[in-house]
Amino acid sequence: MSLAIDDPTPSAPACADDGTWLACIECEETFAPFEAVRYTCDECDGLLEVRYANPPTFEDFGEGADSEGPDRGVWRYREALPFDLGVTLPEGGTPLHRVPRIEEAVGVEALRIKHEGMNPTGSFKDRGMTVGVRVAKELGVDALACASTGNTSAALAAYGGRGDMQTLVLLPKGKVAAGKIAQASLHGARILEVDGNFDACLDIVQELAARGEVYLLNSLNPFRLEGQKTIGFEILEEFHADYGVYPDRIVLPVGNAGNTSAIYKGFRELVQSGALDPEDVPKLTGVQAEGAAPMVEAIEEGADEVRRWEQVETRATAIRIGNPVNAPKALPGIRNTGGTAIAVSDVEITAAQRHLAVEGVGVEPASAASLAGLKKLRRQGVVDDDERVVCLTTGHLLKDPDAAYEAGGDPEPVPNDVDAVLKHIRG
Ligand code: F0G
């Protein structure tokens, strides 16, 4: 397996459809993209990735694209995607917040927060789902499913509903934040609560998909990652427009490691097309919660494979995952960019969540892991003070109202009387 930053532009195999095909990252077997439902390699069960005969340049994006389409968000990058438009709400085009006070406190040259919580259902999953549901339509399937720690289920329910398809979600019982269950439910998903963790839910839904009962829209589905790679494109374009350079590092929370894989893939395509110098690819830096850190363990041990953690626990329930299925794509992403991975405690996550919140950036606990990780890496001297960094915040504060309530101050009861209120405020 290679997945090097500077892999040459692949030449299209005979099975390619309009310059697009699927390739196994382990054995390089290739498949026509839409002739059959397929999640992993028929030959060796390795992970698949979508490949293009013409990887994108920056000029292909937006106004430069020669097909009709929106001028912001995921579909602005249609030249780098398998279709020109999908089932859209629309998604992407999220803010890259300036946070000068946090920047100073952390002590880096520049810090920006890419707030993916500002997507239609409040997380980055929407970027993958708009593409995934479009592919489901192409394949002619009508029953969609996923296992989820919450956000994927909310996105699947919303996009599946908009695409007039049935949606089924499997959630770990008692471990999904209230806002996410409310979304999945109201957007019309059938919700199954499994007496097990996320990894068990994924095992079950993968088997249902293998038996042809449902179309799987977890990040194991290579088309989901196509949408998510646009996060990296947006960061590069916007950061460069403001600073004249690309960020040195992107710090992001890691669960199933789909996002890490997706962003790396987008950068590799820009390198393949000659649009991006391999030296300019930001260092991908993954952050996990201490109670669910199998990727960090693999990076620290220099291991090629990730050991599945059977017991996982963290307040950041979105990343309460012990078996990151995209690790074979994400480990090269971290290593080949010169990045690293670090685990943070729930206390550190909550502190970072509060720190972002006082700047007006409301994020759920898992999202705050990125800033918590950056702070720790600065303390350890791994991140230099002259670095320009982007932290990804993946989900909105309102996703997990209970965690937000616990992290914030308590409301103070006062009598229904102006003088008494004044006395209370001053006292
Ligand atoms: N942040 C949030 C808010 C998430 O919901 C997730 C994953 C991640 C980070 C990790 O992303 O899996 O690509 O490494 N949530 C999935 C879900 C597992 O079911 O919603 P990853």
Side-chain angles (χ1 to χ4, degrees), residues 124-125 148-152 253-259 318-319 321 364 394-395:
F124 69 97
K125 306 288 180 178
S148 182
T149 56
N151 283 322
T152 304
V254 174
N256 235 354
N259 226 14
I319 51 172
I321 294 175
E364 67 167 288
T394 40

Side-chain angles (χ1 to χ4, degrees), residues 133-214:
V133 172
R134 173 68 183 85
V135 172
K137 287 210 169 288
E138 191 75 11
L139 292 167
V141 296
D142 55 12
L144 313 178
C146 71
S148 182
T149 56
N151 283 322
T152 304
S153 71
L156 180 78
Y159 283 82
R162 198 167 175 85
D164 194 19
M165 292 159 137
Q166 292 170 33
T167 51
L168 177 74
V169 303
L170 281 78
L171 308 182
K173 187 161 178 264
K175 295 295 180 182
V176 177
K180 305 172 188 180
I181 301 184
Q183 288 180 292
S185 165
L186 193 57
H187 286 306
R190 189 162 175 196
I191 303 175
L192 306 184
E193 284 189 329
V194 177
D195 187 13
N197 61 24
F198 166 83
D199 306 299
C201 295
L202 187 56
D203 288 345
I204 294 173
V205 79
Q206 261 186 270
E207 185 56 32
L208 294 179
R211 295 187 193 183
E213 297 289 330
V214 293

Side-chain angles (χ1 to χ4, degrees), residues 283-355:
K283 298 179 173 71
L284 288 177
T285 301
V287 186
Q288 294 193 299
E290 279 174 356
M295 282 282 291
V296 176
E297 182 181 73
I299 289 288
E300 283 176 354
E301 292 176 358
D304 286 337
E305 285 183 12
V306 171
R307 183 178 66 88
R308 177 174 177 147
W309 288 22
E310 295 299 339
Q311 302 297 330
V312 279
E313 204 49 85
T314 167
R315 189 170 168 274
T317 53
I319 51 172
R320 186 175 169 274
I321 294 175
N323 185 33
V325 291
N326 287 297
K329 293 177 173 176
L331 286 173
I334 291 172
R335 290 191 173 123
N336 297 346
T337 57
T340 187
I342 188 164
V344 291
S345 69
D346 283 3
V347 170
E348 289 167 326
I349 287 174
T350 305
Q353 190 187 17
R354 288 199 186 103
H355 206 167

Side-chain angles (χ1 to χ4, degrees), residues 100-111:
R101 286 181 292 180
I102 302 180
E103 181 181 272
E104 199 185 327
V106 173
V108 284
E109 173 75 22
L111 175 63

Side-chain angles (χ1 to χ4, degrees), residues 25 40 47 51 64 68 72 74 107 127 132 162 171 199 216 233 246 250 295 309 321 331 350 353 387 390 399 404 421:
I25 65 159
T40 53
L47 296 177
R51 295 219 173 129
E68 296 286 310
R72 69 188 285 273
V74 168
R127 292 183 187 258
R162 198 167 175 85
L171 308 182
D199 306 299
L216 183 70
F233 295 159
Y246 298 114
I250 295 176
M295 282 282 291
W309 288 22
I321 294 175
L331 286 173
T350 305
Q353 190 187 17
E387 284 197 33
V390 173
K399 288 284 194 171
V421 168

